[in-house]
Amino acid sequence: MATWCLHYLLVAFLFAISYNINAASAGITRRYKFDIQLKNITRLCKTKTIVTVNGKFPGPKVTAREGDNLQIKVVNHVSNNISIHWHGIRQLRSGWADGPSYVTQCPIQTGQSYVYNFTVIGQRGTLWWHAHIQWMRATVYGPLIILPKLHQPYPFPKPYKQVPIMFGEWFNADPQAVVQQALQTGGGPNASDAHTFNGLPGPLYNCSTKDTYKLTVKPGKTYLLRLINAALDDELFFTIANHTLTVVEADASYVKPFQTNIVLLGPGQTTNVLLKTKPIYPNATFYMLARPYFTGQGTIDNTTVAGVLKYQHEPTSNHFNSSKNLPVIKPSLPPINSTSYAANFTKMFRSLASSRFPANVPKTVDKKYFFTVGLGTNPCPKNQTCQGPTNTTKFTAAINNVSFILPNKTSLLQSYFLGKSNRIFMTNFPSAPIFPFNYTGMPPNNTMVSKGTKLVVLKYNTTVELVLQGTSILGIEAHPVHLHGFNFYVVGQGFGNFDPIRDPKRYNLIDPVERNTINVPSGGWVAIRFLADNPGVWFMHCHIEIHLSWGLTMAWVVLDGDLPNQKLLPPPSDFPKC
């Protein structure tokens, strides 16, 4: 009898341990409420009304652990329509919560609400959320931090403190008016008036010393800086004077650590870096700077945002309260058009490719696609003078010469799910340019592009290789391309025209970096691979906002698989109506 009782207690004990482990692995439900509301904000000595979440700029931080379920209720109290995208979240089978207006949902109208309900599966790291309609994300954005599961350590030294730093752009004008003017005139948009760290422009701008982001650190500690580029149109270099940064993560995927003094992030990208502070109080403060990288034509905000890194000293120190008199050390940044630095920096990224965090890059490919990405022109409307490349043309942008047109009375996902897609979109998006040309050489005489709502259909579990080729039409520039619903592996990149015979032989299929947003090099190409294991309709677009507005986008339809867990879930009951 005693033996049976002991056995029963042992089984019960092991069951309890197993239950607790499974419960921790399954995660918990975390609920947030986003009230979309107006707020008066003063920057650069000008006060204006902006759209915010909960009256905060930037918006509130959303925190979860891998395996958690997030339920975020968004209530729209403003006259603008709104939708929120959870940038980088895979949204496995939950495409209804992805957020881009007229792609996976109709926007949330004034006085309406919608609960974004999704589970974080197999992801941890720094992501972010932002509005995904017109240029609303200029002020509607915030960090989305996914912590590892309980009791699972980072694959790098545990930081003393974690700090999100969001790069942004500030417009004195209404960003919606800026894009509307550009689309109407056919010209490029007016540039922003400042760049920001966590919404603050800093002392290098007029009237902004009081609006400076300050990071106070202790000597001899390691800080994890979660860098997020939420700027609308600018890729940005970032540095901290007299400090070395160790890159450990990109787009919420761990990478082999490497050291650098300068980080480059395209719009939409995130990078985690370790900052190891100096061992003793340095008797100085240090500027943090960010400034654009740009090689294209047109107007750009070529200004520099500065923040301050200051060291905390003990109250008993002789330096107490003397920080105002300390010298400020200023760093230097590469020239605005430093493509060589951008290329060398990008090549440093490699996946961990460990047993715990493997690089599951597809070794064989079912479907290959070759997409050109770049600018183009459309004719100016009759009896109108335009401000595009000529006074008879307007700027536009395209993938494979197709400038994408979003529907405006339903969403692509709704029409697909309801079997009414033939009224909304076509599935004949070209797998390669219809008229090949010397993509990075002398541009063709005819720069006109077609318009359409064309998608690519993929069977479930198709392995895809996609080459994104930049063009020289209306100038060469980098394009940060973001794929919704998936991570992908960057297996190759280079300058000039992609060579389908020579270049694949140089692919990295061992430890390529895993990302959700990749810069197509200025005057070059990048090759990515991914597994189409997420049913739904998934947007892919340049994350430079004006390029998105001009049509540099397309979408993929991934069909349901055969098994129940390979099918798109039905839409929720509170799904927004058009």
Side-chain angles (χ1 to χ4, degrees):
M1 185 72 175
T3 302
W4 182 88
C5 288
L6 183 62
H7 175 76
Y8 176 83
L9 290 173
L10 178 60
V11 170
F13 175 71
L14 292 174
F15 176 81
I17 292 177
S18 174
Y19 176 83
N20 288 332
I21 291 174
N22 289 334
S25 176
I28 63 173
T29 296
R30 299 175 187 255
R31 295 179 175 86
Y32 290 83
K33 185 180 180 185
F34 278 18
D35 284 305
I36 309 300
Q37 55 192 221
L38 300 178
K39 177 79 172 181
N40 287 336
I41 298 287
T42 301
R43 295 289 185 271
L44 309 180
C45 274
K46 296 180 184 296
T47 300
K48 72 170 192 173
T49 303
I50 66 171
V51 179
T52 69
V53 171
N54 300 346
K56 297 181 178 180
F57 173 69
K61 179 174 67 173
V62 174
T63 303
R65 287 192 181 276
E66 179 186 351
D68 284 352
N69 171 252
L70 280 167
Q71 296 180 16
I72 304 170
K73 184 175 183 179
V74 177
V75 184
N76 188 5
H77 303 282
V78 303
S79 59
N80 308 76
N81 289 344
I82 196 74
S83 69
I84 304 294
H85 171 52
W86 316 96
H87 185 111
I89 292 290
R90 290 277 329 261
Q91 300 290 1
L92 289 165
R93 303 176 62 211
S94 59
W96 309 104
D98 192 40
S101 286
Y102 301 110
V103 178
T104 59
Q105 69 168 92
C106 289
I108 306 166
Q109 299 178 30
T110 305
Q112 302 299 310
S113 66
Y114 178 47
V115 177
Y116 290 90
N117 186 344
F118 56 91
T119 300
V120 182
I121 301 173
Q123 293 182 273
R124 82 295 304 164
T126 300
L127 297 172
W128 63 300
W129 58 263
H130 60 82
H132 212 304
I133 180 170
Q134 299 175 327
W135 280 23
M136 296 287 288
R137 77 173 181 89
T139 59
V140 180
Y141 63 87
L144 173 55
I145 309 303
I146 309 299
L147 301 172
K149 292 181 179 180
L150 281 172
H151 314 302
Q152 290 198 0
Y154 295 111
F156 47 79
K158 183 179 179 180
Y160 171 72
K161 192 175 181 181
Q162 304 180 31
V163 182
I165 302 178
M166 301 201 74
F167 308 164
E169 286 182 83
W170 176 263
F171 291 80
N172 285 333
D174 177 5
Q176 308 311 314
V178 171
V179 64
Q180 289 304 319
Q181 181 186 34
L183 295 177
Q184 183 177 357
T185 64
N190 291 332
S192 58
D193 295 282
H195 296 104
T196 59
F197 289 145
N198 289 344
L200 300 171
L204 303 185
Y205 294 101
N206 180 46
C207 192
S208 298
T209 300
K210 67 182 187 309
D211 295 323
T212 299
Y213 174 67
K214 297 178 181 178
L215 175 59
T216 301
V217 297
K218 293 182 178 180
K221 301 292 186 181
T222 298
Y223 291 77
L224 179 65
L225 305 185
R226 298 179 178 269
L227 308 178
I228 303 167
N229 188 353
L232 260 67
D233 294 315
D234 294 341
E235 301 187 57
L236 294 166
F237 293 114
F238 171 81
T239 189
I240 302 177
N242 284 19
H243 287 75
T244 300
L245 304 172
T246 301
V247 177
V248 293
E249 180 194 298
D251 289 354
S253 294
Y254 296 130
V255 299
K256 290 182 170 67
F258 66 91
Q259 291 188 333
T260 183
N261 295 321
I262 299 168
V263 178
L264 175 64
L265 291 89
Q269 291 186 320
T270 69
T271 304
N272 280 7
V273 298
L274 296 178
L275 169 67
K276 190 170 184 179
T277 58
K278 299 184 181 301
I280 59 174
Y281 185 77
N283 285 321
T285 57
F286 305 88
Y287 265 165
M288 300 181 283
L289 300 182
R291 189 176 68 198
Y293 161 63
F294 182 67
T295 63
Q297 300 178 3
T299 306
I300 188 172
D301 177 4
N302 188 21
T303 62
T304 303
V305 53
V308 175
L309 180 76
K310 55 185 294 188
Y311 276 73
Q312 177 182 336
H313 35 68
E314 298 296 331
T316 56
S317 166
N318 293 330
H319 304 290
F320 187 54
N321 285 335
S322 64
S323 60
K324 290 184 178 179
N325 301 320
L326 294 176
V328 179
I329 309 300
K330 299 179 182 179
S332 59
L333 285 167
I336 186 172
N337 60 350
S338 187
T339 295
S340 59
Y341 185 91
N344 291 332
F345 176 74
T346 302
K347 291 176 182 177
M348 298 293 290
F349 287 84
R350 294 285 187 271
S351 289
L352 277 184
S354 64
S355 57
R356 185 176 164 206
F357 300 106
N360 295 317
V361 55
K363 299 296 195 298
T364 59
V365 174
D366 299 320
K367 294 285 187 179
K368 291 186 177 183
Y369 298 91
F370 182 84
F371 290 177
T372 57
V373 293
L375 304 186
T377 57
N378 277 144
C380 195
K382 289 183 179 179
N383 302 320
Q384 179 181 336
T385 300
C386 288
Q387 299 174 12
T390 70
N391 61 11
T392 60
T393 58
K394 306 176 78 169
F395 279 107
T396 189
I399 300 178
N400 273 358
N401 210 50
V402 179
S403 185
F404 197 79
I405 299 177
L406 283 170
N408 57 16
K409 294 183 179 179
T410 186
S411 72
L412 299 174
L413 183 60
Q414 284 173 285
S415 64
Y416 161 70
F417 186 78
L418 296 174
K420 299 179 180 179
S421 58
N422 60 339
R423 303 178 184 176
I424 305 301
F425 64 84
M426 296 183 290
T427 58
N428 60 343
F429 190 90
S431 60
I434 297 175
F435 302 106
F437 60 98
N438 184 4
Y439 306 113
T440 56
M442 183 66 69
N445 292 328
N446 183 3
T447 60
M448 295 290 180
V449 304
S450 64
K451 294 183 178 181
T453 309
K454 300 181 179 183
L455 282 68
V456 173
V457 178
L458 298 171
K459 292 182 179 179
Y460 186 85
N461 264 352
T462 298
T463 53
V464 177
E465 178 178 306
L466 170 62
V467 175
L468 295 165
Q469 172 72 63
T471 76
S472 60
I473 296 176
L474 302 178
I476 60 170
E477 61 182 296
H479 296 279
V481 174
H482 172 49
L483 176 60
H484 291 227
F486 299 94
N487 281 357
F488 50 75
Y489 290 94
V490 184
V491 297
Q493 54 195 314
F495 291 109
N497 297 341
F498 173 76
D499 186 322
I501 304 299
R502 181 190 64 206
D503 289 326
K505 297 176 182 178
R506 307 176 187 176
Y507 281 175
N508 174 11
L509 301 180
I510 304 300
D511 60 351
V513 66
E514 183 180 1
R515 306 203 70 133
N516 62 57
T517 306
I518 184 63
N519 275 325
V520 180
S522 178
W525 58 271
V526 64
I528 65 174
R529 289 186 177 182
F530 65 94
L531 176 66
D533 60 350
N534 194 7
V537 177
W538 305 106
F539 215 24
M540 189 180 80
H541 60 90
C542 181
H543 222 280
I544 294 175
E545 205 68 9
I546 188 58
H547 293 177
L548 172 58
S549 302
W550 283 339
L552 208 164
T553 178
M554 55 83 65
W556 307 81
V557 179
V558 178
L559 303 176
D560 283 344
D562 295 329
L563 301 178
N565 64 351
Q566 298 174 343
K567 299 181 186 300
L568 176 67
L569 294 170
S573 59
D574 65 337
F575 194 66
K577 295 178 173 59
C578 285

